[in-house]
Amino acid sequence: VRQPLVVPSSPWGLFGGKFVGYSKAAFVLWLLRSHTSCHRAWQIEDDVFFTGPWSALFNAYSADESHIIASTIHHPSTSYFAHERTCFINITTRCRSAEDRSLTAVVWPLLRMSHAVASEIARALTTQRAKGFHEALLAPLCERAAWCSLSHLRPEHLGSMVAGHSSASKRKQSPFASPVLARRAYHPAKCEADPGLGELARTWLHLQQNSSM
């Protein structure tokens, strides 16, 4: 299935986000149209760095049937989230919880999603007149669907996972704290910070493959 076109002025445009190139919306639409061959799929931004073979991460969650696997950030009622103002799960209901006014935001550089969630996003955007940036809208939609489950990426798989659009200064910052741990995901890992990241990734892959033999 070819990558779908996302129209910026459509609900999918706001969901995808101009500053991140609409890739999240394109991924959801792709998954929606790939259901005959793909029931779940991972989306990995190109600046996510994993210190080991990616198969190790995928296999660790192969038995987990959750509809969403990702890191999240909990925003209580006293915490402001930049994208909450434009986030509605339908034409009148804001994304914040009606009970405690909290909001769960998904950290989307590294995420697994089910086809069922892709269908729910499409239904909400097209028939319920939901709207919102993907990191703000996804968890509230799942929380309000009785069938939907969200699991967190486990601590043993996370090095540093920072959300948000990278400014010019942040693009030059290394995501790696000392020591760098094996089989951990780091984000953002930009070539501006270290032009040798590609070779470093191959080194980690080689080391981890040898250690598992």
Side-chain angles (χ1 to χ4, degrees):
V1 178
R2 297 179 63 183
Q3 179 169 308
L5 175 67
V6 177
V7 179
S9 60
S10 72
W12 289 101
L14 176 60
F15 178 83
K18 175 181 178 180
F19 292 107
V20 293
Y22 308 111
S23 63
K24 307 306 188 295
F27 167 74
V28 174
L29 287 167
W30 170 85
L31 181 56
L32 189 62
R33 299 171 187 179
S34 305
H35 66 279
T36 55
S37 59
C38 191
H39 298 290
R40 294 190 296 260
W42 289 87
Q43 186 175 32
I44 305 167
E45 291 185 356
D46 59 6
D47 58 352
V48 176
F49 190 101
F50 189 68
T51 52
W54 280 104
S55 59
L57 180 72
F58 302 153
N59 291 340
Y61 297 92
S62 60
D64 189 330
E65 297 185 353
S66 298
H67 292 92
I68 300 168
I69 298 176
S71 295
T72 62
I73 299 174
H74 180 74
H75 294 276
S77 60
T78 55
S79 172
Y80 175 71
F81 181 49
H83 298 290
E84 68 178 73
R85 293 183 296 106
T86 56
C87 191
F88 292 79
I89 62 169
N90 56 47
I91 192 171
T92 59
T93 307
R94 291 188 176 273
C95 290
R96 279 194 178 269
S97 166
E99 288 74 26
D100 61 6
R101 308 305 301 163
S102 65
L103 175 68
T104 300
V106 170
V107 182
W108 199 318
L110 175 62
L111 168 146
R112 197 190 78 182
M113 180 185 293
S114 71
H115 177 265
V117 169
S119 297
E120 180 65 13
I121 293 170
R123 185 191 69 82
L125 292 178
T126 57
T127 67
Q128 300 299 308
R129 299 179 68 179
K131 65 178 182 178
F133 189 66
H134 52 273
E135 291 185 338
L137 183 59
L138 180 57
L141 284 179
C142 184
E143 290 167 352
R144 289 164 172 82
W147 52 266
C148 187
S149 55
L150 188 155
S151 290
H152 293 89
L153 288 164
R154 299 194 287 271
E156 64 264 30
H157 298 133
L158 294 175
S160 173
M161 187 63 58
V162 180
H165 182 62
S166 297
S167 64
S169 60
K170 289 182 179 179
R171 294 176 72 88
K172 297 182 179 181
Q173 297 176 0
S174 172
F176 304 116
S178 182
V180 179
L181 301 174
R183 302 197 176 195
R184 301 293 199 281
Y186 293 85
H187 174 270
K190 303 288 188 182
C191 290
E192 292 93 326
D194 184 352
L197 284 174
E199 184 59 35
L200 183 60
R202 287 188 287 271
T203 300
W204 273 105
L205 175 62
H206 178 71
L207 289 172
Q208 290 299 298
Q209 285 177 332
N210 286 347
S211 68
S212 63
M213 292 180 178

Coordinates of all heavy atoms in Angstrom, one line a residue, residues 76-157:
P76 N -1.8 16.4 34.8 CA -2.9 16.6 35.7 C -3.6 17.9 35.4 O -3.2 18.7 34.5 CB -2.2 16.7 37.1 CG -0.8 17.1 36.8 CD -0.5 16.5 35.4
S77 N -4.7 18.2 36.1 CA -5.5 19.4 35.9 C -4.6 20.7 36.0 O -5.0 21.7 35.3 CB -6.7 19.5 36.8 OG -6.2 19.5 38.2
T78 N -3.6 20.7 36.8 CA -2.8 21.9 37.0 C -1.7 22.0 35.9 O -0.9 23.0 35.9 CB -2.2 21.9 38.4 OG1 -1.4 20.6 38.5 CG2 -3.2 22.0 39.4
S79 N -1.5 21.0 35.0 CA -0.4 21.0 34.1 C -1.0 21.3 32.7 O -1.9 20.7 32.2 CB 0.2 19.6 34.0 OG 1.2 19.5 33.0
Y80 N -0.4 22.3 32.1 CA -0.8 22.8 30.7 C -0.1 22.0 29.6 O 1.1 21.8 29.7 CB -0.6 24.3 30.6 CG -0.9 24.8 29.2 CD1 -2.3 24.9 28.7 CD2 0.1 25.2 28.3 CE1 -2.6 25.3 27.5 CE2 -0.2 25.6 27.0 CZ -1.5 25.7 26.6 OH -1.8 26.2 25.4
F81 N -0.8 21.5 28.6 CA -0.3 20.9 27.5 C -0.6 21.7 26.2 O -1.7 22.0 26.0 CB -0.8 19.5 27.4 CG -0.3 18.7 26.2 CD1 1.1 18.6 26.0 CD2 -1.1 18.0 25.3 CE1 1.6 17.8 24.9 CE2 -0.6 17.2 24.3 CZ 0.7 17.2 24.1
A82 N 0.4 22.0 25.5 CA 0.3 23.0 24.4 C -0.8 22.6 23.4 O -1.5 23.5 22.8 CB 1.6 23.1 23.6
H83 N -1.1 21.4 23.2 CA -2.0 21.0 22.1 C -3.4 20.7 22.6 O -4.3 20.3 21.9 CB -1.5 19.7 21.4 CG -0.2 19.9 20.7 ND1 -0.1 20.7 19.6 CD2 1.0 19.4 21.0 CE1 1.2 20.6 19.2 NE2 1.9 19.9 20.0
E84 N -3.7 20.9 23.9 CA -5.0 20.6 24.5 C -6.1 21.6 24.0 O -7.3 21.2 24.0 CB -4.9 20.6 26.0 CG -4.7 22.0 26.6 CD -4.7 21.9 28.2 OE1 -3.7 21.4 28.7 OE2 -5.7 22.4 28.8
R85 N -5.7 22.8 23.6 CA -6.7 23.8 23.3 C -7.5 23.4 22.0 O -8.7 23.7 21.8 CB -6.1 25.1 23.0 CG -5.5 25.8 24.3 CD -5.0 27.2 24.0 NE -3.8 27.1 23.1 CZ -3.9 27.5 21.8 NH1 -5.0 27.9 21.3 NH2 -2.8 27.4 21.1
T86 N -6.8 22.6 21.1 CA -7.5 22.2 19.9 C -7.8 20.7 19.9 O -8.1 20.2 18.8 CB -6.5 22.5 18.7 OG1 -5.3 21.8 18.9 CG2 -6.2 24.0 18.6
C87 N -7.9 20.1 21.0 CA -8.2 18.7 21.1 C -9.6 18.4 21.6 O -10.0 18.7 22.7 CB -7.2 18.0 22.1 SG -7.2 16.2 22.0
F88 N -10.4 17.8 20.7 CA -11.8 17.4 21.0 C -12.0 16.0 20.6 O -11.7 15.6 19.4 CB -12.8 18.3 20.3 CG -12.8 19.7 20.8 CD1 -11.8 20.7 20.4 CD2 -13.8 20.2 21.7 CE1 -11.8 22.0 20.9 CE2 -13.8 21.5 22.2 CZ -12.8 22.4 21.8
I89 N -12.7 15.2 21.4 CA -13.0 13.8 21.0 C -14.3 13.7 20.2 O -14.5 12.7 19.5 CB -13.0 12.8 22.2 CG1 -14.1 13.2 23.1 CG2 -11.7 12.7 22.9 CD1 -14.4 12.1 24.2
N90 N -15.0 14.8 20.2 CA -16.2 14.9 19.3 C -16.4 16.4 19.2 O -15.6 17.2 19.7 CB -17.4 14.2 19.8 CG -17.9 14.5 21.2 OD1 -18.0 15.7 21.5 ND2 -18.1 13.5 22.0
I91 N -17.5 16.9 18.6 CA -17.7 18.3 18.3 C -17.8 19.1 19.6 O -17.5 20.3 19.6 CB -18.9 18.5 17.5 CG1 -18.9 19.9 16.9 CG2 -20.2 18.2 18.2 CD1 -20.0 20.1 15.9
T92 N -18.2 18.6 20.8 CA -18.4 19.4 22.0 C -17.5 18.9 23.1 O -17.3 19.7 24.1 CB -19.8 19.3 22.4 OG1 -20.1 17.9 22.7 CG2 -20.8 19.8 21.4
T93 N -16.9 17.8 23.1 CA -16.2 17.2 24.3 C -14.7 17.4 24.1 O -14.0 16.8 23.2 CB -16.5 15.7 24.5 OG1 -17.9 15.6 24.5 CG2 -15.9 15.2 25.8
R94 N -14.1 18.1 25.1 CA -12.6 18.2 25.1 C -11.9 16.9 25.5 O -12.5 16.1 26.1 CB -12.2 19.4 26.0 CG -12.6 20.8 25.5 CD -12.0 21.9 26.3 NE -12.3 23.2 25.8 CZ -11.6 23.8 24.8 NH1 -10.5 23.2 24.4 NH2 -12.0 25.0 24.4
C95 N -10.6 16.9 25.2 CA -9.9 15.7 25.4 C -9.6 15.4 26.9 O -9.4 14.3 27.3 CB -8.6 15.7 24.6 SG -8.9 15.5 22.8
R96 N -9.5 16.5 27.7 CA -9.3 16.3 29.1 C -10.4 15.5 29.7 O -11.6 15.6 29.4 CB -9.1 17.6 29.8 CG -7.7 18.2 29.7 CD -7.4 19.3 30.6 NE -6.1 19.9 30.5 CZ -5.0 19.4 31.2 NH1 -5.2 18.4 32.1 NH2 -3.8 19.9 31.1
S97 N -10.0 14.7 30.7 CA -11.0 13.9 31.4 C -12.0 14.7 32.1 O -11.7 15.7 32.8 CB -10.3 13.0 32.5 OG -11.2 12.4 33.4
A98 N -13.3 14.3 32.0 CA -14.4 15.1 32.7 C -14.3 14.9 34.2 O -14.8 15.8 35.0 CB -15.7 14.6 32.2
E99 N -13.7 13.8 34.7 CA -13.7 13.5 36.1 C -12.6 14.3 36.8 O -12.9 15.0 37.8 CB -13.5 12.0 36.3 CG -14.6 11.1 36.0 CD -14.8 10.9 34.5 OE1 -13.8 11.1 33.7 OE2 -16.0 10.7 34.1
D100 N -11.4 14.2 36.4 CA -10.3 14.9 37.1 C -9.6 15.9 36.3 O -8.6 16.5 36.8 CB -9.3 13.9 37.7 CG -8.7 13.0 36.6 OD1 -8.9 13.3 35.4 OD2 -7.9 12.1 37.0
R101 N -10.0 16.2 35.1 CA -9.5 17.2 34.2 C -8.0 16.9 33.8 O -7.3 17.8 33.4 CB -9.5 18.6 34.8 CG -10.9 19.0 35.4 CD -11.9 18.9 34.3 NE -11.6 19.8 33.1 CZ -12.2 19.6 31.9 NH1 -13.1 18.7 31.7 NH2 -11.8 20.4 30.9
S102 N -7.7 15.6 33.9 CA -6.3 15.2 33.4 C -6.3 14.9 32.0 O -7.3 14.8 31.3 CB -5.8 14.0 34.2 OG -6.6 12.9 33.9
L103 N -5.1 14.8 31.4 CA -4.9 14.5 30.0 C -3.7 13.6 29.9 O -2.6 14.0 30.4 CB -4.8 15.8 29.2 CG -4.5 15.6 27.7 CD1 -5.7 14.9 27.0 CD2 -4.1 16.9 27.0
T104 N -3.8 12.5 29.2 CA -2.7 11.7 28.9 C -2.3 11.9 27.4 O -3.0 11.8 26.5 CB -3.1 10.2 29.0 OG1 -3.5 9.9 30.4 CG2 -1.9 9.3 28.7
A105 N -1.0 12.3 27.3 CA -0.4 12.5 26.0 C 0.5 11.4 25.6 O 1.2 10.9 26.5 CB 0.4 13.8 26.0
V106 N 0.4 10.9 24.4 CA 1.3 9.8 23.9 C 2.6 10.4 23.3 O 2.6 11.4 22.6 CB 0.5 9.0 22.8 CG1 1.5 8.0 22.1 CG2 -0.6 8.3 23.4
V107 N 3.7 9.8 23.7 CA 5.0 10.1 23.1 C 5.1 9.2 21.9 O 5.3 8.0 22.0 CB 6.1 9.9 24.1 CG1 7.5 10.3 23.5 CG2 5.8 10.7 25.4
W108 N 5.1 9.8 20.7 CA 4.9 9.1 19.5 C 6.1 8.8 18.6 O 6.0 8.2 17.6 CB 3.8 9.7 18.6 CG 3.2 8.9 17.6 CD1 3.8 8.0 16.7 CD2 1.8 8.8 17.2 NE1 2.9 7.4 15.9 CE2 1.6 7.9 16.2 CE3 0.7 9.5 17.7 CZ2 0.4 7.6 15.6 CZ3 -0.6 9.2 17.1 CH2 -0.7 8.3 16.0
P109 N 7.3 9.1 19.0 CA 8.5 8.7 18.2 C 8.6 7.2 17.9 O 9.1 6.8 16.9 CB 9.7 9.3 18.9 CG 9.1 10.4 19.7 CD 7.8 9.9 20.1
L110 N 8.1 6.5 18.9 CA 8.2 5.0 18.9 C 6.9 4.5 19.4 O 6.6 4.6 20.6 CB 9.4 4.5 19.7 CG 9.5 3.0 19.9 CD1 9.8 2.3 18.5 CD2 10.7 2.7 20.8
L111 N 6.1 3.8 18.6 CA 4.7 3.4 19.0 C 4.3 2.2 18.1 O 4.6 2.0 17.0 CB 3.8 4.6 18.7 CG 2.3 4.4 18.8 CD1 1.6 5.6 19.4 CD2 1.7 4.1 17.4
R112 N 3.5 1.3 18.8 CA 2.8 0.2 18.1 C 1.3 0.5 18.2 O 0.8 0.8 19.3 CB 3.2 -1.1 18.6 CG 2.8 -2.3 17.7 CD 2.9 -3.7 18.3 NE 1.8 -4.0 19.2 CZ 1.7 -5.1 19.9 NH1 2.6 -6.0 19.9 NH2 0.6 -5.3 20.6
M113 N 0.6 0.3 17.1 CA -0.8 0.5 17.0 C -1.5 -0.6 16.3 O -1.0 -1.2 15.4 CB -1.1 1.8 16.3 CG -2.6 2.2 16.1 SD -2.8 3.7 15.1 CE -2.1 4.9 16.2
S114 N -2.8 -0.9 16.7 CA -3.6 -1.9 16.1 C -4.4 -1.3 15.0 O -4.7 -0.1 15.0 CB -4.5 -2.6 17.1 OG -5.5 -1.7 17.5
H115 N -4.9 -2.1 14.1 CA -5.8 -1.7 13.0 C -7.1 -1.2 13.6 O -7.7 -0.2 13.1 CB -6.1 -2.8 12.0 CG -7.0 -2.5 11.0 ND1 -8.4 -2.7 11.1 CD2 -6.9 -1.9 9.8 CE1 -9.0 -2.3 10.0 NE2 -8.1 -1.8 9.2
A116 N -7.5 -1.8 14.7 CA -8.8 -1.3 15.4 C -8.6 0.1 15.8 O -9.6 0.9 15.7 CB -9.1 -2.2 16.5
V117 N -7.5 0.5 16.4 CA -7.3 1.9 16.8 C -7.3 2.8 15.6 O -7.8 3.9 15.6 CB -6.0 2.1 17.6 CG1 -5.7 3.5 17.8 CG2 -6.2 1.4 18.9
A118 N -6.6 2.4 14.5 CA -6.6 3.2 13.3 C -8.1 3.5 12.8 O -8.4 4.6 12.4 CB -5.8 2.5 12.2
S119 N -8.9 2.4 12.9 CA -10.3 2.6 12.5 C -11.0 3.5 13.4 O -11.9 4.3 13.0 CB -11.0 1.2 12.5 OG -10.4 0.3 11.6
E120 N -10.7 3.5 14.7 CA -11.4 4.4 15.7 C -11.0 5.8 15.4 O -11.8 6.7 15.5 CB -11.0 4.0 17.1 CG -11.6 4.8 18.2 CD -13.2 4.8 18.3 OE1 -13.7 3.9 17.6 OE2 -13.8 5.6 18.9
I121 N -9.7 6.1 15.1 CA -9.3 7.4 14.8 C -10.0 7.9 13.6 O -10.5 9.1 13.6 CB -7.8 7.4 14.6 CG1 -7.0 7.1 15.9 CG2 -7.3 8.8 14.0 CD1 -5.5 6.9 15.7
A122 N -10.1 7.1 12.5 CA -10.8 7.5 11.3 C -12.3 7.8 11.6 O -12.8 8.8 11.1 CB -10.7 6.4 10.3
R123 N -12.9 7.0 12.4 CA -14.3 7.2 12.7 C -14.5 8.5 13.5 O -15.4 9.3 13.2 CB -14.8 6.0 13.6 CG -16.3 6.1 13.9 CD -16.7 5.0 14.9 NE -16.2 5.4 16.2 CZ -16.8 6.3 17.0 NH1 -17.9 6.9 16.7 NH2 -16.2 6.5 18.2
A124 N -13.6 8.7 14.5 CA -13.8 9.9 15.3 C -13.5 11.2 14.4 O -14.3 12.2 14.6 CB -12.8 9.9 16.4
L125 N -12.6 11.2 13.5 CA -12.2 12.4 12.7 C -13.3 12.6 11.7 O -13.6 13.8 11.4 CB -10.9 12.2 12.1 CG -9.7 12.2 13.0 CD1 -8.4 12.0 12.2 CD2 -9.6 13.5 13.8
T126 N -13.9 11.6 11.1 CA -14.7 11.7 10.0 C -16.2 11.8 10.3 O -17.0 12.5 9.6 CB -14.5 10.6 8.9 OG1 -14.7 9.4 9.5 CG2 -13.1 10.7 8.4
T127 N -16.6 11.1 11.4 CA -18.1 11.1 11.7 C -18.4 11.7 13.0 O -19.5 12.2 13.2 CB -18.6 9.6 11.7 OG1 -18.0 8.9 12.8 CG2 -18.3 8.9 10.4
Q128 N -17.5 11.8 13.9 CA -17.7 12.4 15.3 C -17.2 13.8 15.3 O -17.4 14.5 16.4 CB -17.1 11.6 16.4 CG -17.6 10.1 16.4 CD -19.1 10.1 16.7 OE1 -19.6 10.7 17.7 NE2 -19.8 9.3 15.9
R129 N -16.5 14.3 14.3 CA -16.0 15.6 14.2 C -15.0 15.9 15.3 O -14.9 17.0 15.9 CB -17.1 16.7 14.2 CG -18.0 16.5 13.0 CD -19.1 17.5 13.0 NE -18.6 18.9 12.8 CZ -19.4 20.0 12.7 NH1 -20.8 19.8 12.8 NH2 -18.9 21.2 12.5
A130 N -14.2 14.8 15.7 CA -13.1 15.0 16.6 C -12.0 15.7 15.9 O -12.0 15.8 14.6 CB -12.6 13.6 17.0
K131 N -11.1 16.3 16.7 CA -10.0 17.0 16.1 C -8.9 17.1 17.1 O -9.2 17.1 18.3 CB -10.4 18.4 15.6 CG -10.8 19.4 16.6 CD -11.1 20.8 16.0 CE -11.5 21.8 17.0 NZ -11.7 23.1 16.4
G132 N -7.7 17.2 16.7 CA -6.6 17.4 17.6 C -5.3 16.9 17.1 O -5.2 16.0 16.2
F133 N -4.2 17.3 17.7 CA -2.9 16.8 17.3 C -2.7 15.4 17.8 O -3.2 15.0 18.9 CB -1.8 17.7 18.0 CG -0.4 17.5 17.6 CD1 0.0 17.8 16.3 CD2 0.5 17.1 18.6 CE1 1.3 17.6 16.0 CE2 1.8 16.9 18.2 CZ 2.3 17.1 16.9
H134 N -2.0 14.6 17.1 CA -2.0 13.1 17.4 C -1.6 12.8 18.8 O -2.2 11.9 19.4 CB -1.1 12.4 16.4 CG 0.3 13.0 16.3 ND1 0.6 14.0 15.4 CD2 1.5 12.7 16.9 CE1 1.9 14.3 15.5 NE2 2.4 13.5 16.4
E135 N -0.6 13.5 19.3 CA -0.1 13.1 20.7 C -1.1 13.5 21.8 O -1.1 12.9 22.8 CB 1.2 13.8 21.0 CG 2.4 13.2 20.1 CD 3.7 13.8 20.5 OE1 3.8 14.9 21.1 OE2 4.8 13.1 20.2
A136 N -2.0 14.4 21.5 CA -3.0 14.8 22.4 C -4.3 13.9 22.3 O -4.9 13.6 23.3 CB -3.4 16.3 22.3
L137 N -4.7 13.6 21.1 CA -5.9 12.9 20.8 C -5.9 11.4 21.0 O -7.0 10.9 21.4 CB -6.4 13.3 19.4 CG -7.7 12.7 18.9 CD1 -8.9 13.3 19.8 CD2 -8.0 13.1 17.4
L138 N -4.8 10.8 20.8 CA -4.8 9.3 20.7 C -5.2 8.7 22.0 O -6.1 7.8 22.1 CB -3.4 8.8 20.3 CG -3.3 7.3 20.2 CD1 -4.3 6.7 19.2 CD2 -1.9 6.9 19.8
A139 N -4.6 9.0 23.1 CA -4.9 8.3 24.4 C -6.4 8.6 24.9 O -7.1 7.7 25.3 CB -3.9 8.7 25.5
P140 N -6.9 9.9 24.8 CA -8.3 10.1 25.2 C -9.3 9.3 24.3 O -10.3 8.8 24.9 CB -8.4 11.6 24.9 CG -7.1 12.2 25.1 CD -6.1 11.2 24.6
L141 N -9.0 9.1 23.0 CA -9.9 8.3 22.3 C -9.8 6.8 22.8 O -10.9 6.2 22.9 CB -9.5 8.3 20.8 CG -9.8 9.5 20.0 CD1 -9.3 9.4 18.5 CD2 -11.3 9.8 20.0
C142 N -8.7 6.3 23.1 CA -8.5 5.0 23.6 C -9.2 4.8 25.0 O -9.9 3.8 25.2 CB -7.1 4.6 23.7 SG -6.8 2.9 24.2
E143 N -9.0 5.8 25.8 CA -9.6 5.7 27.2 C -11.1 5.7 27.2 O -11.7 5.1 28.0 CB -9.1 6.9 28.0 CG -7.6 6.9 28.3 CD -7.1 8.2 28.9 OE1 -7.8 9.2 28.8 OE2 -5.9 8.3 29.3
R144 N -11.7 6.3 26.2 CA -13.1 6.3 26.1 C -13.8 5.2 25.3 O -15.0 5.1 25.2 CB -13.6 7.7 25.5 CG -13.3 8.8 26.5 CD -13.4 10.2 25.8 NE -13.4 11.3 26.7 CZ -12.3 11.8 27.2 NH1 -11.1 11.3 26.9 NH2 -12.3 12.9 28.0
A145 N -12.9 4.3 24.8 CA -13.4 3.1 24.1 C -13.2 1.9 25.0 O -12.1 1.6 25.3 CB -12.6 2.9 22.7
A146 N -14.3 1.3 25.4 CA -14.2 0.2 26.3 C -13.3 -0.9 25.9 O -12.7 -1.6 26.7 CB -15.6 -0.3 26.6
W147 N -13.2 -1.1 24.6 CA -12.4 -2.3 24.1 C -10.9 -2.0 24.0 O -10.1 -2.9 23.8 CB -12.9 -2.7 22.7 CG -13.0 -1.5 21.8 CD1 -14.1 -0.7 21.5 CD2 -11.9 -1.0 21.0 NE1 -13.8 0.3 20.6 CE2 -12.4 0.1 20.2 CE3 -10.6 -1.3 20.8 CZ2 -11.7 0.9 19.4 CZ3 -9.8 -0.6 19.9 CH2 -10.3 0.5 19.2
C148 N -10.5 -0.7 24.1 CA -9.2 -0.3 23.7 C -8.2 -0.4 24.9 O -8.6 0.0 26.1 CB -9.2 1.2 23.2 SG -7.6 1.7 22.6
S149 N -7.0 -0.9 24.7 CA -6.1 -1.0 25.8 C -4.7 -0.4 25.4 O -4.3 -0.4 24.2 CB -5.8 -2.5 26.1 OG -5.5 -3.2 24.9
L150 N -4.1 0.2 26.3 CA -2.8 0.9 26.1 C -1.8 0.4 27.1 O -2.0 0.4 28.3 CB -3.0 2.4 26.3 CG -1.8 3.3 25.9 CD1 -2.3 4.7 25.5 CD2 -0.8 3.4 27.0
S151 N -0.7 -0.1 26.6 CA 0.4 -0.6 27.4 C 1.6 0.4 27.2 O 1.8 0.9 26.1 CB 0.9 -2.0 27.0 OG -0.1 -2.9 27.4
H152 N 2.4 0.5 28.2 CA 3.6 1.3 28.2 C 4.8 0.6 27.7 O 5.0 -0.6 28.1 CB 3.8 2.0 29.5 CG 2.8 3.0 29.9 ND1 1.7 2.6 30.6 CD2 2.6 4.3 29.7 CE1 0.9 3.6 30.8 NE2 1.4 4.7 30.2
L153 N 5.7 1.2 27.0 CA 7.0 0.7 26.7 C 7.7 0.5 28.1 O 7.7 1.4 28.9 CB 7.8 1.6 25.8 CG 7.4 1.7 24.4 CD1 8.0 2.9 23.7 CD2 7.8 0.4 23.6
R154 N 8.3 -0.7 28.3 CA 8.8 -1.0 29.6 C 10.1 -0.2 29.8 O 10.9 0.0 28.9 CB 9.0 -2.5 29.7 CG 7.7 -3.2 29.6 CD 7.8 -4.7 30.0 NE 8.6 -5.5 29.1 CZ 8.0 -6.2 28.1 NH1 6.7 -6.1 27.8 NH2 8.8 -7.0 27.3
P155 N 10.4 0.1 31.1 CA 11.7 0.8 31.4 C 12.9 0.2 30.9 O 13.9 0.9 30.5 CB 11.6 0.9 33.0 CG 10.2 0.7 33.3 CD 9.6 -0.2 32.3
E156 N 13.0 -1.1 30.8 CA 14.2 -1.8 30.4 C 14.4 -1.6 28.9 O 15.5 -2.0 28.4 CB 14.2 -3.3 30.7 CG 13.1 -4.1 30.0 CD 11.8 -4.3 30.8 OE1 11.5 -3.4 31.7 OE2 11.1 -5.3 30.7
H157 N 13.5 -0.9 28.2 CA 13.7 -0.7 26.8 C 13.8 0.8 26.5 O 13.9 1.2 25.3 CB 12.5 -1.2 26.0 CG 12.3 -2.7 26.1 ND1 11.1 -3.3 26.3 CD2 13.2 -3.7 26.0 CE1 11.3 -4.6 26.4 NE2 12.5 -4.9 26.2

